[in-house]
Amino acid sequence: NTRLTSKRPEKNWKHWWLKRMANYLERIWPDFKELARSKRKENKKFFGRLNGQDPKRLNEQFHGMHEEVFAETDCLKCARCCRATGPLLTKQDIGRISKKQGMKPADFEKQYLRVDEDGDWVMKSLPCPFLELDTNKCTIYEYAPKACRQYPHTDHPNMKSILGLTETNVRHCPAVFEMVERMKQRAQF
C-alpha cells in the first residue's frame, strides 16, 4: 500500500490527481457510514480541542484543508449530501427555484417542501428530488439553494461559529471526514 505524496509531480499531473482523489474516496467509501460512526467519540474530543483555538488560526487550518481535500475530490462520485441530508431553504431560495421551475412559491412548497421541527423549510423526501440518481448531477445546479452551494461549509468565514455543524458533517461528507482525519494526523491527535 504505497502512500502518495502531497506534492504534485510536474509530468502527468492529471493522472496523479485522479489517483490521489480515488485513493482517499475508495479507501473510505465502502464502509463510510460505519467508519464515520466509529470515530464519533474521538471526533468529539478533537472538536473540543478545536473549539479552544484562536478563531483566525482555526479558519486558516480549515480553509487550507478545504482547498487541499477538494482539489482531490469529485463530488459527483459521492452525492451523499443530496442523498442523505437535505438543505435548509430560505424564502429567497424558494422564490428563485420556484420561478426557474415555472411554479408559484406556494405550489413549490406544497410539492417539494415541509417545515421541520425547528421551523425551517426542508425537502419532503430524500434523496433530493432534483438529484439525477444515475449521474449524481443536480438538475437545478445553476440556481440551487444557498445551503447546497456552500456545503459542506468548511470554507465558512467563521469556522468557530459552525464547529457543531462541521462535526455533524464529518458523518455525512467523506471530504469533511478526510479533512478532519488529516487535521488530527497533523496535530498528532
XYZ file of all heavy atoms in Angstrom, residues 99-143:
375
model
N -39.488 30.119 -9.342
C -39.570 30.937 -10.560
C -38.907 30.208 -11.727
O -39.471 30.115 -12.823
C -38.903 32.292 -10.326
C -38.976 33.228 -11.507
C -38.324 34.564 -11.187
C -38.397 35.489 -12.402
N -37.742 36.771 -12.121
N -37.711 29.678 -11.498
C -36.994 28.947 -12.558
C -37.730 27.667 -12.963
O -37.613 27.222 -14.092
C -35.574 28.603 -12.114
C -34.676 29.797 -11.900
C -34.240 30.379 -13.213
C -33.138 31.398 -13.005
N -32.585 31.883 -14.243
N -38.471 27.080 -12.026
C -39.230 25.861 -12.320
C -40.599 26.186 -12.931
O -41.363 25.276 -13.265
C -39.435 25.034 -11.037
C -38.156 24.462 -10.443
C -37.539 23.405 -11.311
O -36.528 23.636 -11.963
N -38.131 22.222 -11.343
N -40.912 27.486 -13.039
C -42.196 27.893 -13.602
C -43.364 27.616 -12.675
O -44.467 27.299 -13.122
N -43.104 27.718 -11.366
C -44.128 27.432 -10.360
C -44.329 28.630 -9.456
O -43.431 29.462 -9.305
C -43.700 26.240 -9.489
C -43.407 24.962 -10.210
S -42.731 23.699 -9.100
C -44.218 23.144 -8.293
N -45.469 28.682 -8.815
C -45.689 29.662 -7.751
C -44.986 29.129 -6.512
O -44.951 27.907 -6.281
C -47.176 29.823 -7.475
C -47.926 30.467 -8.617
C -49.392 30.577 -8.285
C -50.116 31.204 -9.473
N -51.556 31.222 -9.260
N -44.429 30.036 -5.677
C -43.741 29.562 -4.465
C -44.611 28.641 -3.599
O -44.116 27.625 -3.101
C -43.390 30.859 -3.734
C -43.230 31.862 -4.832
C -44.280 31.483 -5.845
N -45.880 28.941 -3.448
C -46.758 28.092 -2.625
C -46.891 26.692 -3.219
O -46.922 25.703 -2.479
C -48.133 28.750 -2.473
N -46.949 26.607 -4.542
C -47.047 25.297 -5.192
C -45.748 24.511 -5.036
O -45.758 23.296 -4.822
C -47.389 25.453 -6.680
C -48.790 26.006 -6.901
O -49.635 25.862 -5.993
O -49.022 26.604 -7.974
N -44.613 25.217 -5.153
C -43.304 24.579 -4.958
C -43.197 24.031 -3.533
O -42.785 22.890 -3.316
C -42.186 25.595 -5.237
C -40.812 25.045 -5.033
C -40.189 24.282 -6.012
C -40.124 25.277 -3.844
C -38.916 23.762 -5.818
C -38.853 24.766 -3.647
C -38.250 24.007 -4.639
N -43.588 24.854 -2.554
C -43.550 24.431 -1.150
C -44.417 23.195 -0.949
O -44.000 22.232 -0.298
C -44.027 25.563 -0.243
C -43.050 26.725 -0.162
C -43.643 27.957 0.508
O -44.824 27.932 0.938
O -42.920 28.971 0.588
N -45.618 23.221 -1.500
C -46.548 22.107 -1.327
C -46.012 20.818 -1.958
O -46.132 19.734 -1.381
C -47.898 22.466 -1.938
C -48.973 21.446 -1.669
C -50.309 21.904 -2.217
C -51.360 20.836 -1.964
N -52.647 21.206 -2.522
N -45.398 20.939 -3.130
C -44.921 19.752 -3.844
C -43.625 19.184 -3.272
O -43.476 17.965 -3.173
C -44.717 20.069 -5.329
C -44.305 18.850 -6.139
C -44.306 19.117 -7.630
O -44.852 20.099 -8.116
N -43.686 18.212 -8.374
N -42.683 20.051 -2.878
C -41.329 19.583 -2.542
C -40.900 19.750 -1.092
O -39.941 19.101 -0.666
C -40.296 20.309 -3.411
C -40.398 19.994 -4.876
C -40.867 20.941 -5.776
C -40.017 18.749 -5.370
C -40.962 20.665 -7.133
C -40.106 18.459 -6.722
C -40.576 19.416 -7.593
O -40.662 19.133 -8.934
N -41.539 20.630 -0.342
C -41.003 21.014 0.963
C -41.920 20.680 2.126
O -43.105 20.435 1.960
C -40.703 22.518 0.973
C -39.796 23.052 -0.134
C -39.645 24.563 -0.008
C -38.445 22.363 -0.140
N -41.315 20.705 3.289
C -42.045 20.610 4.554
C -41.317 21.494 5.557
O -40.148 21.847 5.359
C -42.110 19.168 5.054
C -40.765 18.601 5.473
C -40.892 17.177 6.028
N -39.599 16.628 6.351
C -38.912 16.861 7.476
N -39.418 17.629 8.412
N -37.722 16.313 7.675
N -41.976 21.841 6.637
C -41.359 22.603 7.710
C -40.909 21.603 8.767
O -41.699 20.783 9.232
C -42.339 23.642 8.305
C -41.700 24.388 9.463
C -42.799 24.619 7.228
N -39.614 21.656 9.124
C -39.095 20.693 10.113
C -39.393 21.159 11.539
O -40.021 22.199 11.761
C -37.606 20.422 9.881
C -36.689 21.574 10.257
O -37.160 22.614 10.765
O -35.473 21.441 10.040
N -38.903 20.387 12.511
C -39.161 20.658 13.927
C -38.564 21.982 14.410
O -38.979 22.520 15.427
C -38.663 19.489 14.801
C -37.186 19.160 14.675
C -36.819 18.314 13.456
O -37.699 17.863 12.707
O -35.610 18.120 13.256
N -37.596 22.529 13.661
C -37.004 23.819 14.022
C -37.660 24.986 13.284
O -37.227 26.129 13.417
C -35.493 23.815 13.713
C -34.744 22.806 14.553
O -35.103 22.628 15.735
O -33.796 22.183 14.021
N -38.673 24.678 12.475
C -39.367 25.727 11.734
C -38.700 26.096 10.420
O -39.036 27.120 9.820
N -37.763 25.256 9.957
C -37.050 25.523 8.702
C -37.691 24.757 7.553
O -38.207 23.654 7.733
C -35.579 25.081 8.827
C -34.818 25.905 9.857
O -34.961 27.139 9.851
O -34.081 25.286 10.652
N -37.611 25.332 6.359
C -38.065 24.655 5.150
C -36.998 23.652 4.717
O -35.831 24.013 4.574
C -38.294 25.654 4.010
C -39.517 26.497 4.194
C -39.564 27.800 4.610
C -40.872 26.110 3.960
N -40.852 28.246 4.654
C -41.684 27.223 4.248
C -41.474 24.931 3.523
C -43.064 27.194 4.117
C -42.853 24.897 3.396
C -43.633 26.019 3.697
N -37.399 22.397 4.537
C -36.508 21.325 4.087
C -37.234 20.484 3.037
O -38.455 20.585 2.884
C -36.049 20.417 5.263
C -35.231 21.200 6.280
C -37.240 19.752 5.939
N -36.493 19.656 2.332
C -37.092 18.772 1.333
C -38.005 17.752 2.021
O -37.668 17.243 3.084
C -36.020 18.031 0.529
C -35.167 18.904 -0.354
S -36.160 19.656 -1.643
C -34.960 20.771 -2.353
N -39.116 17.439 1.386
C -40.048 16.435 1.914
C -39.423 15.050 1.920
O -39.712 14.242 2.787
C -41.306 16.364 1.033
C -42.391 17.290 1.396
C -43.617 17.006 0.513
C -44.684 18.025 0.782
N -45.837 17.842 -0.103
N -38.600 14.786 0.906
C -38.054 13.438 0.769
C -36.592 13.487 0.358
O -36.118 14.474 -0.189
C -38.862 12.652 -0.268
O -38.746 13.269 -1.534
N -35.921 12.402 0.663
C -34.536 12.206 0.241
C -34.464 10.886 -0.494
O -35.205 9.965 -0.146
C -33.604 12.192 1.462
C -33.465 13.523 2.186
C -32.668 13.345 3.465
C -32.813 14.566 1.304
N -33.615 10.727 -1.461
C -32.690 11.743 -1.972
C -33.443 12.960 -2.518
O -34.641 12.906 -2.780
C -31.940 11.034 -3.083
C -32.561 9.710 -3.270
C -33.555 9.488 -2.197
N -32.715 14.032 -2.655
C -33.275 15.271 -3.160
C -33.985 15.011 -4.492
O -33.438 14.335 -5.362
C -32.149 16.291 -3.362
S -32.743 17.846 -4.077
N -35.174 15.551 -4.666
C -35.894 15.316 -5.914
C -35.222 15.941 -7.141
O -35.574 15.597 -8.271
C -37.270 15.952 -5.658
C -37.053 16.908 -4.549
C -35.926 16.362 -3.723
N -34.257 16.805 -6.923
C -33.556 17.439 -8.042
C -32.223 16.763 -8.371
O -31.465 17.242 -9.199
C -33.357 18.935 -7.763
C -34.663 19.644 -7.549
C -35.063 20.037 -6.288
C -35.515 19.880 -8.623
C -36.281 20.667 -6.084
C -36.732 20.511 -8.445
C -37.122 20.908 -7.171
N -31.954 15.644 -7.727
C -30.738 14.876 -7.989
C -31.012 13.819 -9.056
O -31.947 13.025 -8.925
C -30.258 14.187 -6.710
C -29.035 13.281 -6.847
C -27.788 14.097 -7.150
C -28.847 12.457 -5.576
N -30.201 13.807 -10.126
C -30.274 12.729 -11.108
C -29.536 11.543 -10.500
O -28.314 11.585 -10.343
C -29.610 13.143 -12.421
C -30.404 14.124 -13.227
C -29.724 14.475 -14.558
O -28.565 14.058 -14.795
O -30.368 15.169 -15.341
N -30.250 10.523 -10.138
C -29.667 9.406 -9.396
C -28.613 8.630 -10.171
O -27.692 8.075 -9.579
C -30.771 8.463 -8.916
C -31.761 9.085 -7.928
C -32.874 8.101 -7.611
C -31.058 9.539 -6.668
N -28.712 8.593 -11.493
C -27.743 7.812 -12.270
C -26.439 8.571 -12.519
O -25.401 7.961 -12.756
C -28.355 7.339 -13.593
C -28.924 8.478 -14.428
O -29.301 9.516 -13.861
O -29.002 8.316 -15.663
N -26.460 9.902 -12.439
C -25.248 10.688 -12.694
C -24.772 11.482 -11.479
O -23.679 12.040 -11.491
C -25.485 11.703 -13.829
O -26.498 12.626 -13.414
C -25.877 11.010 -15.118
N -25.598 11.567 -10.444
C -25.332 12.390 -9.260
C -25.281 13.880 -9.585
O -24.696 14.654 -8.835
C -24.056 11.969 -8.540
C -24.228 10.674 -7.785
O -25.347 10.257 -7.485
N -23.134 10.014 -7.478
N -25.874 14.285 -10.682
C -25.894 15.701 -11.055
C -27.168 16.358 -10.555
O -28.236 15.744 -10.534
C -25.773 15.869 -12.567
C -24.401 15.509 -13.080
C -24.258 15.818 -14.543
C -22.839 15.484 -15.004
N -22.668 15.765 -16.420
N -27.033 17.625 -10.200
C -28.151 18.422 -9.726
C -28.842 19.070 -10.927
O -28.185 19.757 -11.718
C -27.646 19.495 -8.769
S -28.930 20.620 -8.198
N -30.144 18.879 -11.024
C -30.873 19.439 -12.161
C -31.143 20.936 -11.995
O -31.550 21.582 -12.954
C -32.213 18.699 -12.385
O -33.016 18.840 -11.207
C -31.965 17.234 -12.712
N -30.909 21.475 -10.798
C -31.102 22.912 -10.570
C -29.797 23.571 -10.104
O -29.809 24.584 -9.425
C -32.250 23.189 -9.566
C -31.955 22.580 -8.191
C -33.584 22.699 -10.125
C -32.894 23.052 -7.097
N -28.691 22.983 -10.494
C -27.365 23.426 -10.032
C -27.157 24.935 -10.164
O -26.636 25.571 -9.261
C -26.284 22.668 -10.806
C -24.887 22.960 -10.335
C -24.387 22.345 -9.192
C -24.069 23.847 -11.021
C -23.099 22.600 -8.751
C -22.783 24.114 -10.583
C -22.301 23.496 -9.452
O -21.039 23.764 -9.005
N -27.560 25.526 -11.284
C -27.325 26.945 -11.539
C -28.085 27.844 -10.571
O -27.713 28.996 -10.382
C -27.695 27.321 -12.977
C -26.838 26.671 -14.040
C -27.234 25.215 -14.315
O -28.398 24.824 -14.061
O -26.366 24.455 -14.768
N -29.148 27.355 -9.977
C -29.938 28.169 -9.047
C -30.283 27.376 -7.777
O -31.332 27.550 -7.182
C -31.193 28.731 -9.733
C -32.002 27.724 -10.518
C -33.095 27.074 -9.936
C -31.694 27.428 -11.840
C -33.843 26.155 -10.653
C -32.448 26.511 -12.562
C -33.512 25.882 -11.965
O -34.261 24.979 -12.673
